[in-house]
Amino acid sequence: MSGQNSKINGVSFVSSRVKIDSTHTKPVVTTLGANYATVMPFGFVSTISTPEIAFNGRRQWVGERRAGAKQYALALREQNLKIMIKPQLWIARGQYTGFINMTTEDDWSKFETSYTAFILEYAELAQEINAPLFCIGTELENFVKMRPAYWTSLIKKIKTIYKGQLTYAANWDEFKRTPFWSELDYIGIDAYFPVSEEQTPTIEACIEGWKTHKAVIKEYALKYNKPILFTEYGYRSVDFSGKEPWRSDRELNQVNMQAQVNTTKALYETFWDEDWFAGGFIWKWFYNYSTSGGESNSQFTPQNKPVEAVIKQYYKQYSK
């Protein structure tokens, strides 16, 4: 399992329209002290029942395609950041990927063929650049539930191509039902667990709110003898940030920097000192640092917000 003082202190580096260079990558290190970055190429589907994934196409943004993902990974690596390649699906109008559900066996077969092509494309990239981590999927609960044999077969195919470490990004309320943890190297969780219903949650309240969740998470780490990796984690700088941390809608817009600071501190205090916990990737980081985040921003990014100093403090303390 993970060493107590040796963590994956990561950022989720958002794909964009442009190539990146050192002016975009240096702030990841100088302002946060991160040692890992997630690169996220994308595939697109029209509806939750569309059996074809469009990916690596000319109409996609630079960072969403294979060549762009490679350029991002190499640019980030120049800052001594290690890379996790994490290909993701986007459904039109932002529908939740966990609800993907084909209506016929033929469509399931087509979707599996399409998903395999998508994932193996990026497993090849991960191997090509010697990325130490590869994520085989993100928040695909119903797909996993309905087609478990497919996933076992997919993991075997990935391992013939990619020789690094594997994880899967299960949603916070999904990981207990994911059937293939024994085949991977990390139990990956997108850690948007509810921890407090306060408008400005205190650190103490959030630590208390984590107790039940933490016990279950630790149970799974011990059951499978696999370290826990928060494939995504983070809070918005908004009122009630710990109540439903997965919400990204703009209806939540009352800026609250202290709420983001307190929820984030509580997460570090709860997990970063545990030897069964590997670390995680803060959600999320945009390439254009100087114009991202800031005092009027109510979204997840920590950029140009007080929480930056909190993250840097813990990342420095638990650096590899």
Side-chain angles (χ1 to χ4, degrees):
M1 294 225 182
S2 171
Q4 180 174 322
N5 293 311
S6 178
K7 300 302 183 193
I8 292 171
N9 297 319
V11 297
S12 300
F13 198 93
V14 178
S15 302
S16 86
R17 299 174 185 270
V18 302
K19 292 183 178 181
I20 59 169
D21 58 35
S22 60
T23 61
H24 308 124
T25 57
K26 279 184 178 178
V28 176
V29 177
T30 57
T31 65
L32 286 193
N35 56 22
Y36 263 82
T38 298
V39 172
M40 297 175 286
F42 268 85
F44 295 86
V45 290
S46 299
T47 72
I48 61 170
S49 57
T50 301
E52 297 290 337
I53 300 166
F55 65 94
N56 204 27
R58 291 182 178 179
R59 294 178 64 186
Q60 290 181 248
W61 287 2
V62 168
E64 295 172 347
R65 307 193 302 261
R66 176 166 173 163
K70 180 178 179 179
Q71 195 271 323
Y72 276 41
L74 296 181
L76 288 159
R77 203 157 69 184
E78 287 180 1
Q79 304 300 321
N80 295 315
L81 290 157
K82 295 177 181 177
I83 303 299
M84 176 168 76
I85 300 291
K86 184 170 177 267
Q88 296 191 201
L89 295 182
W90 179 262
I91 306 173
R93 296 179 297 280
Q95 296 177 82
Y96 178 48
T97 50
F99 296 153
I100 286 172
N101 190 29
M102 301 301 116
T103 55
T104 67
E105 178 64 27
D106 185 53
D107 278 356
W108 270 121
S109 180
K110 288 178 181 176
F111 187 69
E112 289 172 351
T113 298
S114 193
Y115 191 80
T116 297
F118 171 60
I119 286 297
L120 295 188
E121 177 88 32
Y122 291 105
E124 289 175 0
L125 174 62
Q127 182 63 26
E128 179 184 342
I129 66 169
N130 294 313
L133 265 171
F134 182 70
C135 185
I136 69 171
T138 297
E139 298 178 7
L140 296 169
E141 180 172 12
N142 195 60
F143 184 12
V144 171
K145 175 185 174 183
M146 299 299 291
R147 313 297 285 187
Y150 163 77
W151 284 89
T152 300
S153 172
L154 177 66
I155 291 166
K156 288 177 181 176
K157 289 176 182 176
I158 292 168
K159 287 180 177 180
T160 67
I161 293 170
Y162 173 71
K163 306 304 179 184
Q165 294 187 305
L166 297 175
T167 191
Y168 166 77
N171 198 24
W172 70 274
D173 59 352
E174 172 192 356
F175 78 97
K176 298 186 291 295
R177 296 180 293 278
T178 305
F180 45 70
W181 292 131
S182 60
E183 304 303 314
L184 305 180
D185 298 287
Y186 295 93
I187 295 173
I189 305 174
D190 287 356
Y192 303 111
F193 296 83
V195 293
S196 171
E197 296 199 350
E198 297 176 359
Q199 182 176 355
T200 304
T202 63
I203 298 170
E204 294 74 19
C206 292
I207 290 173
E208 183 65 29
W210 268 114
K211 284 185 177 178
T212 302
H213 302 309
K214 182 182 180 181
V216 177
I217 293 167
K218 181 179 179 180
E219 176 188 329
Y220 274 74
L222 299 178
K223 176 181 178 181
Y224 289 99
N225 193 31
K226 307 280 184 181
I228 302 295
L229 178 65
F230 283 174
T231 37
E232 294 175 19
Y233 76 92
Y235 300 91
R236 291 177 58 184
S237 46
V238 71
D239 283 351
F240 303 101
S241 59
K243 185 177 180 180
E244 296 174 319
W246 59 88
R247 286 181 61 182
S248 59
D249 56 89
R250 296 189 180 277
E251 291 175 18
L252 292 174
N253 56 19
Q254 290 300 117
V255 174
N256 188 331
M257 295 296 170
Q258 195 61 49
Q260 186 180 42
V261 164
N262 292 353
T263 47
T264 304
K265 273 189 177 181
L267 185 145
Y268 290 133
E269 288 295 321
T270 299
F271 289 100
W272 248 251
D273 205 38
E274 298 290 353
D275 60 3
W276 46 265
F277 182 78
F281 295 85
I282 193 81
W283 186 263
K284 57 189 174 174
W285 193 271
F286 296 94
Y287 81 100
N288 48 340
Y289 177 77
S290 64
T291 57
S292 296
E295 61 184 17
S296 63
N297 181 276
S298 65
Q299 297 300 312
F300 282 97
T301 182
Q303 290 164 283
N304 297 296
K305 298 177 182 179
V307 77
E308 269 190 344
V310 175
I311 298 167
K312 187 171 186 177
Q313 173 193 341
Y314 286 93
Y315 277 13
K316 182 179 180 181
Q317 185 178 346
Y318 295 95
S319 62
K320 285 195 169 187

